[in-house]
Amino acid sequence: RATHSRLGGPGRWLLATPANYVGGLQVLTRAQLAGAAPTTLDIAEGFRPDAFAAATRDLVGAPGPHSEGPYYTALVPTQLARLLAAGPEAVEAAAAYDAIVLGGARLDDELARRAADAGVHAVSSYGMSETASGCVYDGFPLEGVSVRLGEGDRIELSGATLTHGYRLRPDLTAKAFTADGWLSTNDVGSFHDDGSLVVLGRIDDMLNTGGVKVPAAGVEAALTAHSQVRAACVVALPDVEWGERIAAVIVPEPAVPESADPASGDEAPGDRPPPQARGDLDEELRALVRERLGRAAVPKLLRYVPELPLIGPGKVDRAAVRAVFED
């Protein structure tokens, strides 16, 4: 109900993420509350922008409650990025929604800008299974939710969306909740001057190099601000001299050749930057991080991969990313 209140009232929902995760489950719950059966996108064989466009047409064209909208869906940022890169039909479908709630991973500034330029209303959400999915939208808590910063700027949440605890694990429940009933998350944050929450990253993703603490999410945001970077993941590797050294895995943005069909999703072998161009891109990326976050935050190692390894919808498998540097 709080989601509908924030977005513009009850409406129709497209389920485009797995229903066995809390984000997908919440789409079904919202559809039930709205009294309109959800349209379901089959993602058993992966997410395809053309299938998303077809499902959107079904959603908008079906008779019944809320036939005039509003229309909503929930995606992870990787899905949104693929829609924006897939061509006019996919972008038009994304723009048909009154709001697309983004969760599962951080929505970086560059992707948010590209969505806005394309007329897509993307809403960044922050939450987790313990909060019944996203409970902070675009930095501001939903009605009935409160946010504060605890020790070490750890994000703490309260409100009716919280779990009562972990089943058969009173030890975990006692560890996760403060004495006054707030959920103590594993994320670090800060507040903008307007009071909106900024999620800096998970506590265990804070990097410490040469005694300087660097948020991995901040380095990733700087890297993905480059036009030739689709996605990035930053991790810490053991280092005798620095304690930890910063390493980054980069998914380069493909260049679409004139002969390619943007909606096909296919990439020719030459779509990605050739090896001889990587040196220049390396330097540009390091300069971008240095300018935004300072010298200590600059990655000492960069690797390029076709896609980031995932664990769950939109969540990067950082252990697998670290393994990239073991080769």
Side-chain angles (χ1 to χ4, degrees):
R1 293 191 182 96
T3 293
H4 285 151
S5 177
R6 176 65 60 86
L7 296 182
R12 291 188 174 185
W13 284 86
L14 171 70
L15 176 65
T17 58
N20 58 314
Y21 288 93
V22 71
L25 180 60
Q26 274 289 45
V27 168
L28 299 181
T29 303
R30 295 166 192 146
Q32 177 72 15
L33 286 173
T39 297
T40 301
L41 175 65
D42 185 356
I43 56 172
E45 302 300 324
F47 178 78
R48 295 191 358 255
D50 60 334
F52 178 88
T56 300
R57 290 192 293 270
D58 292 342
L59 177 79
V60 173
H66 306 294
S67 59
E68 300 299 320
Y71 307 116
Y72 305 121
T73 190
L75 303 175
V76 297
T78 300
Q79 291 173 309
L80 177 60
R82 290 179 179 174
L83 289 174
L84 295 178
E89 182 184 20
V91 173
E92 182 179 354
Y97 290 89
D98 293 87
I100 297 179
V101 180
L102 276 297
R106 179 181 56 84
L107 174 63
D108 66 74
D109 293 341
E110 177 61 18
L111 182 57
R113 182 195 62 76
R114 288 167 52 202
D117 289 346
V120 176
H121 183 203
V123 177
S124 176
S125 73
Y126 168 70
M128 56 210 72
S129 296
E130 290 87 342
T131 64
S133 192
C135 63
V136 178
Y137 282 18
D138 286 336
F140 292 96
L142 297 179
E143 183 178 355
V145 176
S146 296
V147 181
R148 72 185 185 188
L149 300 182
E151 184 178 354
D153 290 333
R154 184 188 292 256
I155 297 172
E156 297 179 349
L157 302 164
S158 73
T161 67
L162 292 188
T163 178
H164 296 295
Y166 297 96
R167 183 174 181 269
L168 304 181
R169 291 298 304 270
D171 55 328
L172 292 182
T173 301
K175 182 178 179 181
F177 285 86
T178 65
D180 53 353
W182 288 62
L183 174 69
S184 183
T185 74
N186 289 321
D187 298 310
V188 177
S190 64
F191 289 110
H192 280 308
D193 291 340
D194 63 0
S196 60
L197 176 69
V198 181
V199 181
L200 299 176
R202 293 180 62 82
I203 289 175
D204 52 6
D205 290 336
M206 292 294 289
L207 316 177
N208 190 331
T209 177
V212 179
K213 291 185 178 181
V214 176
V219 181
E220 291 164 357
L223 293 170
T224 54
H226 195 288
S227 61
Q228 293 185 42
V229 175
R230 175 188 290 180
C233 179
V234 173
V235 296
L237 302 177
D239 187 272
V240 175
E241 180 180 0
W242 298 95
E244 292 180 337
R245 54 178 167 165
I246 299 175
V249 164
I250 305 292
V251 179
E253 191 70 65
V256 180
E258 292 183 4
S259 59
D261 177 6
S264 69
D266 296 331
E267 293 179 3
D271 285 348
R272 299 189 181 278
Q276 63 267 25
R278 294 275 168 81
D280 292 340
L281 181 56
D282 284 359
E283 291 310 308
E284 290 179 15
L285 293 176
R286 288 188 170 106
L288 195 56
V289 174
R290 187 181 301 110
E291 178 184 349
R292 290 192 172 198
L293 299 172
R295 185 178 300 276
V298 175
K300 290 181 169 57
L301 294 174
L302 293 170
R303 296 286 188 275
Y304 294 87
V305 296
E307 297 289 346
L308 293 179
L310 300 180
I311 180 169
K315 298 184 184 298
V316 179
D317 185 345
R318 293 183 181 272
V321 169
R322 291 185 183 93
V324 171
F325 296 95
E326 296 176 359
D327 297 337

